[in-house]
Amino acid sequence: MLTWFRTRYLDLLGSIYIYNEHRGYTSIDRVLDAVRARAPDDHALIASIERHRADERKHYVMFKRWFELQGKMPLKVDRTCGHIDRFVEIMFRRTIDDLDTRRIIAEDDQFEKLCRVISLTEKRGYRQVDILLRHPLVRHDKTLVKIFQIIEKDEPSHWAPYDGWLKANGKRDPRWWEHAIDTFIHSELLFLKLPALFLNPWVKRRTEWADAHDPAEVLASPLPVAA
């Protein structure tokens, strides 16, 4: 029973993470395109966002390899398990796929809002990784521990470009209600969606990898060996 519980938990955890990592770097692709169009000479900002994007892709590939080593595909979870998905939907009242990224980048107040959403999401992810690295079920899987250790090392640089832009342009820090939305989204996943998925025997596995139809990679950083 303990083995089944641990396997099910890690299976679901990995499936949620690989979804979020893929959603992360494909969304940043759109932000990068818009930033390059808006501020082509801001090389420092573009480079830091490129690094963020490359890390998200790297993390996705690590989780993909983790599943491949087990000979199985991730469980099929959707945007309801995506932290950035839910944050964008609440703040912009539309899904990430429906977001007009170029308009948002072009308008300071909208880009300011997006920067705070991304920054809060990344800081939430950093705190969660710290918790998971101390979780007894996670620590049982040495490969997964190595993956989370790499993520923990990478994560602090991820909110830096967005916080940097906010500070450089005299924009405000997140208000209490933005922190409250972040906490609500995390609690919703942790106490409602995760248990529901855990107990649902009909959750199917993906039939193809999320990156099966991605364009050719040009920004992914070298993949460290986690296994």
Side-chain angles (χ1 to χ4, degrees), residues 72-123:
K72 60 186 179 185
M73 296 290 286
L75 294 167
K76 193 173 183 180
V77 300
D78 59 20
R79 63 184 178 82
T80 61
C81 292
H83 194 96
I84 190 68
D85 289 85
R86 293 285 291 126
F87 218 151
V88 165
E89 287 173 14
I90 292 172
M91 295 294 288
F92 293 93
R93 299 187 179 182
R94 61 191 64 195
T95 67
I96 288 178
D97 294 331
D98 293 332
L99 211 59
D100 186 347
T101 314
R102 287 187 175 269
R103 182 184 70 81
I104 287 173
I105 299 293
E107 300 176 10
D108 271 9
D109 60 334
Q110 294 295 297
F111 187 50
E112 174 186 357
K113 186 192 298 185
L114 181 62
C115 282
R116 285 196 295 271
V117 166
I118 297 174
S119 176
L120 285 169
T121 298
E122 294 300 329
K123 290 172 182 176

Side-chain angles (χ1 to χ4, degrees), residues 211-227:
D211 65 342
H213 303 289
D214 284 359
E217 283 301 312
V218 293
L219 294 176
S221 53
L223 176 65
V225 179

Side-chain angles (χ1 to χ4, degrees), residues 22 25-26 29 53 57 211-218:
H22 182 262
Y25 78 77
T26 53
D29 278 339
R53 191 270 183 200
R57 167 66 185 175
D211 65 342
H213 303 289
D214 284 359
E217 283 301 312
V218 293

